[in-house]
Amino acid sequence: MAMTQSGLVADALTARTGRAVELVGVTTEGDVSKALLAQIGGTGVFVNGLRERLLDGEIDFAVHSLKDLPTGPADGITLAAVPPRDDPRDALCGPAKLADLRRGARIGTGSPRRVAQLRALRPDLDVVPIRGNADTRLRKVTDGEVDAVVLAYAGLNRIGRLDAVSEIFEPDQMLPAPGQGALAIECRADRDDLIELLAILDDAPTRAAVTAERALLATLEAGCSAPVGAYAAWEDQIVHLTGAVVGYDGERQIRLSESGSPDESERLGRDLALRMLAEGADQLMGESTS
């Protein structure tokens, strides 16, 4: 997946600038560990190894799935570009739609956010934790280890596995992770030449949307172990942000929305998170991760 995504960015940069790009594979802790993401340090496990090579000058820029990017600043590194976002929705991969799966069906996912929302949709489901790349997870369905898995639609599209999709969840059914479907391109903050070059790939509507989503996540002080969903849609120069914190058992949730101008995206996300906290989002997240 990572090499496919990097290749897409490299091809786009070459097409726009004529500059050749060499792909350099980097294996991170998140790629090799079999533990669940929440147990091995959160989203940074996919990012830190790449950032170290950036700072060492071994690579010029790095491509990440934006949902894997920690919300806090990284010393010496800047988010140079956010390309146009792919489909942010989650997808069910199995023999049938969610409503048609047998009672007590085993659904595989490594995401607490998906666990909570699946239980809200179908309390009878047996949601089981799984790790591995998309092909590994899909193989668990084929082998009968689970009845279905939930994966990001954008990732399945990038690796050519849309044939496995039985249902796509709309945001009102299952809010995506903040930044899902978007890519992030980072480089060193002192590389003005690269910042200028990579800016050609930046998409203003996507950046505004994910800025709002990530500001909500940061204000909630939530990480990968918290069942938080957020999605910002851009329409007629207005950003419409929806956020949700869902109890791990799926029985309770706090779901609110707010709209604002694109240049106020960060404030929009922060304000919505404060409203959610005022309604008890922190207690609900605490119950979910205890």
Side-chain angles (χ1 to χ4, degrees):
M1 180 79 72
M3 291 298 287
T4 298
Q5 293 177 167
S6 297
L8 292 171
V9 170
D11 290 346
L13 188 62
T14 299
R16 298 287 296 275
T17 68
R19 298 282 294 272
V21 178
E22 176 188 356
L23 295 183
V24 178
V26 176
T27 300
T28 68
E29 182 184 358
D31 296 318
V32 297
S33 174
K34 296 185 183 301
L36 294 175
L37 184 59
Q39 299 172 335
I40 56 175
T43 53
V45 298
F46 292 108
V47 173
N48 294 337
L50 288 165
R51 285 177 166 174
E52 289 171 3
R53 284 160 177 77
L54 273 178
L55 293 173
D56 291 342
E58 296 178 24
I59 57 176
D60 293 306
F61 63 90
V63 179
H64 313 282
S65 292
L66 198 142
K67 67 183 179 67
D68 293 335
L69 211 62
T71 56
D75 290 342
I77 291 175
T78 188
L79 180 57
V82 181
R85 187 181 210 167
D86 292 327
D87 194 319
R89 295 174 296 176
D90 287 304
L92 183 73
C93 300
K97 292 184 177 182
L98 189 71
D100 298 326
L101 292 174
R102 65 178 177 85
R103 184 172 181 81
R106 289 169 56 83
I107 311 296
T109 176
S111 161
R113 172 188 61 82
R114 289 172 178 151
V115 170
Q117 294 187 91
L118 282 167
R119 287 175 173 162
L121 293 169
R122 283 275 308 266
D124 64 290
L125 293 174
D126 180 12
V127 187
V128 297
I130 58 172
R131 276 296 313 274
N133 62 29
D135 284 326
T136 298
R137 298 186 189 203
L138 292 172
R139 197 173 305 119
K140 293 179 184 295
V141 180
T142 304
D143 293 345
E145 187 174 334
V146 294
D147 293 291
V149 295
V150 179
L151 299 167
Y153 183 90
L156 291 165
N157 185 40
R158 289 169 188 153
I159 64 171
R161 287 306 313 270
L162 293 184
D163 60 293
V165 174
S166 56
E167 182 177 6
I168 303 171
F169 295 110
E170 297 300 329
D172 60 351
Q173 297 173 285
M174 184 177 291
L175 270 180
Q180 185 163 305
L183 299 178
I185 307 174
E186 289 189 323
C187 69
R188 281 174 43 165
D190 60 0
R191 289 291 305 273
D192 291 340
D193 58 330
L194 273 177
I195 294 172
E196 181 179 357
L197 178 71
L198 295 170
I200 196 170
L201 299 180
D202 196 60
D203 181 66
T206 298
R207 185 180 278 266
V210 300
T211 295
E213 295 166 12
R214 286 167 55 77
L216 179 143
L217 187 67
T219 305
L220 290 176
E221 297 183 354
C224 64
S225 61
V228 176
Y231 176 56
W234 173 293
E235 182 179 347
D236 296 330
Q237 298 298 311
I238 298 293
V239 175
H240 303 281
L241 174 65
T242 299
V245 174
V246 186
Y248 200 61
D249 57 9
E251 292 184 1
R252 293 197 299 141
Q253 64 177 284
I254 296 168
R255 184 185 182 106
L256 299 173
S257 299
E258 193 156 325
S259 300
S261 64
D263 58 358
E264 296 180 318
S265 290
E266 188 168 354
R267 180 198 59 77
L268 180 67
R270 185 170 59 250
D271 288 354
L272 184 57
L274 292 174
R275 287 176 54 203
M276 295 172 70
L277 289 169
E279 294 202 10
D282 50 345
Q283 289 91 346
L284 195 53
M285 287 189 295
E287 294 173 8
S288 297
T289 55
S290 60

